[in-house]
Amino acid sequence: MLAIFNEALYRPILNLTVGLYDLLFNDFGLAILALTVIVRLAIWPLTHRALANQKAMMDLQPKLKEVQNKHKDNKEEQAKAMMALYAEHKVSPFSSCLPLLIQLPLFIALYQVLSAGLKSEKLDMLYGFISNPGHISTMSLGFLDLSAPSIVLAVLAAAAQFVQAKMMQRKDVKVHVEGSKDEDTMAIMNKQMLYMMPAMTLFIGWKLPAGLTLYWLLTNLAMIAQQKLAFKKKE
């Protein structure tokens, strides 16, 4: 499995990062920016479909609450009615997880590239058509060392994560569900996630190489822009 991961993800990302660095005036920050753009474009169709599905799920909340109210005393019938409603409107409550599942191995591979892959002795994994620069400087714009943690980038990444999560929330629909606390529980969980994810981003980004935090910040900004586009088209 490790060999497959290295050949399928680690080595291509290493070569792409080094190639972009060599082409973009030897600035590592610009290389990460270009890498982010390439990755976002590659997974754009999947992400766009997932966002459209999330928007449809948000719009479906009033009908879902009506179903829960109607079958509040029979959880089995409630589940069947909800699945039928999903099928009728052609939405899936799980499809929004797909982009995250795709990005996670990319994130791990990029972490390995930034943490160790850019050392001179590791550059022997470059493809034949990628020139070996010999030494890669992780400085960007003359003052930002992307190999060391950056509190500023961690804060910015957490703020972008909060904005992205806030955009995905829908104002509570006032449909009363007697005898059920499912809606209150879900609302509490959503609010917790709204603050938990940015807090985790800040905590983890505080310790990661700034290059990886920069990638996460740029990814969140791209997601915000794509969410606005997807939601605008849907409306």
Side-chain angles (χ1 to χ4, degrees), residues 164-176:
Q164 180 193 346
K166 188 70 173 177
M167 289 174 62
M168 296 306 304
Q169 289 201 336
R170 176 188 175 93
K171 292 182 179 179
D172 292 335
V173 183
K174 297 186 179 301
V175 178
H176 183 58

Side-chain angles (χ1 to χ4, degrees), residues 90-165:
K90 299 179 180 179
V91 298
S92 169
F94 308 109
S95 67
S96 59
C97 300
L98 184 58
L100 181 60
L101 293 176
I102 293 174
Q103 291 183 75
L104 183 58
L106 292 173
F107 194 76
I108 295 173
L110 184 59
Y111 170 76
Q112 293 184 349
V113 169
L114 292 176
S115 60
L118 299 178
K119 296 179 180 179
S120 300
E121 61 271 20
K122 295 289 186 178
L123 296 180
D124 58 355
M125 294 188 69
L126 294 178
Y127 298 134
F129 55 87
I130 300 294
S131 61
N132 188 337
H135 171 73
I136 296 179
S137 172
T138 55
M139 295 297 293
S140 180
L141 303 178
F143 67 91
L144 181 59
D145 185 4
L146 296 178
S147 65
S150 170
I151 296 176
V152 175
L153 285 178
V155 171
L156 291 175
Q161 183 78 54
F162 176 82
V163 172
Q164 180 193 346

Side-chain angles (χ1 to χ4, degrees), residues 154-167 198 201 216-221 223-224:
V155 171
L156 291 175
Q161 183 78 54
F162 176 82
V163 172
Q164 180 193 346
K166 188 70 173 177
M167 289 174 62
T201 300
W216 193 245
L217 168 62
L218 295 172
T219 296
N220 285 333
L221 293 177
M223 281 296 296
I224 291 172

